[in-house]
Amino acid sequence: MKRIDQKTIDQTLELIKSQEKEGVGNERMKIIVNRLLKDLFNAMADLDITSEEMWKACDWLTQTGKNNEYGLVFAGLGIEKFIDVQMDWEDEQAGIENKTPRTIEGPLYVAGSPESTSYAELETEIEPDSERLFMGGVVRDEHGNPIPGAKVEVWHCNLKGLYSHFDSSQPAFNLRRAILVAEDGKYEFKSFVPVGYACPPNGSTDTLMQLLGRHGARPAHIHFFITAPGYRKLTTQINIEGDPLTYDDFAFATRPELVPHIERISAEQAAKYGKDEAFAKINFDFNMVQEIINAAPGENYRTRAATEA
């Protein structure tokens, strides 16, 4: 089929743009929307996208909103990954070297986790039949020095692959804690080895992934925010070594530096570590970078969930 001529596309774009009133509205938004419409209309012409396909897309977008899955779609399409790629590039231009890489936040953070100093137990509700995990390390600066007063926010899913707050069957802030480190910069938490999970079956994201010939699953992982006055916020996560999907994450979050070794300690060896049961052990230091004036912020200022007091 012959492509619609470019003149007709351009005339349509000019007609739409002509409805804008100068000095009214948001100029930045006008530029972005007009560029996206230009790219979309040309893609419709180049790929012969039909009206039926466009209305099916409209239905899918509507249902995605009803399902509250846009955060998953951003992850699954690689949009959130590319946001990180852009921020890494901005850091590079500013001469910022992140020893601990950033990676995607995902849509499941909740503000206001209970705080403690140096150590936390993440389980509000004990997870039965789980493998005990102790993870710890030091929050350091670029030179390897501890950063007293840094905050380590940590969150992960339960063995059903569900997160508290979004899963109403779990207690508030289950598997969510904030650890304030002392002068030595050390943090440690007790939890269990999490599992991987997939996006909701037959939901909007799953439907899209199937149409793209892809899966919608993530490997086992643990999320972190690391913050400290005068330092750039670090948004990252670690993968659990040995998960079959570690390097096949539908959200493109895996980075080799964020797959620490996991050591299994037997019940007989546990006493040597001051523990009274067999456990998995992960040592991982977080390295932060001092804030730089006039550099891009390196932080996603996005709407996040919070629990009302």
Side-chain angles (χ1 to χ4, degrees), residues 28-47:
R28 171 72 171 166
M29 184 60 69
K30 292 176 185 178
I31 292 170
I32 292 171
V33 170
N34 287 324
R35 170 58 189 269
L36 292 176
L37 285 176
K38 178 180 178 181
D39 291 346
L40 175 60
F41 290 178
N42 278 282
M44 290 170 67
D46 292 341
L47 302 174

Side-chain angles (χ1 to χ4, degrees), residues 227-264:
T227 52
Y231 289 84
R232 294 169 68 81
K233 179 178 179 180
L234 173 61
T235 300
T236 195
Q237 58 184 270
I238 61 110
N239 286 110
I240 301 301
E241 183 185 49
D243 189 294
L245 290 179
T246 292
Y247 295 97
D248 188 20
D249 180 2
F250 105 109
F252 309 101
T254 304
R255 303 186 76 156
E257 306 97 318
L258 300 175
V259 188
H261 176 60
I262 183 166
E263 183 179 2
R264 262 70 185 195

Side-chain angles (χ1 to χ4, degrees), residues 105 108-109 153-156 163 175-176 222-225:
E105 174 185 335
L108 300 170
Y109 171 79
E153 293 182 81
V154 52
W155 69 101
H156 70 78
Y163 288 78
L175 306 175
R176 300 178 185 274
I222 302 174
H223 294 271
F224 297 93
F225 282 164

Side-chain angles (χ1 to χ4, degrees), residues 7-41:
K7 182 179 178 181
T8 301
I9 294 174
D10 293 342
Q11 286 175 339
T12 306
L13 289 165
E14 284 301 316
L15 174 64
I16 295 168
K17 190 174 179 181
S18 72
Q19 297 298 309
E20 297 173 3
K21 294 180 173 58
E22 188 174 350
V24 178
N26 183 289
E27 294 304 315
R28 171 72 171 166
M29 184 60 69
K30 292 176 185 178
I31 292 170
I32 292 171
V33 170
N34 287 324
R35 170 58 189 269
L36 292 176
L37 285 176
K38 178 180 178 181
D39 291 346
L40 175 60
F41 290 178

Side-chain angles (χ1 to χ4, degrees), residues 56-98:
K56 283 184 177 179
C58 183
D59 291 341
W60 179 85
L61 290 167
T62 301
Q63 190 60 49
T64 302
K66 290 179 180 178
N67 294 348
N68 193 25
E69 288 193 38
Y70 277 115
L72 290 174
V73 171
F74 261 49
L77 286 180
I79 296 171
E80 193 170 5
K81 170 65 176 178
F82 185 68
I83 290 171
D84 280 355
V85 169
Q86 279 191 311
M87 288 195 294
D88 285 347
W89 180 84
E90 290 168 348
D91 286 352
E92 185 179 340
Q93 302 310 300
I96 297 169
E97 182 179 354
N98 294 300

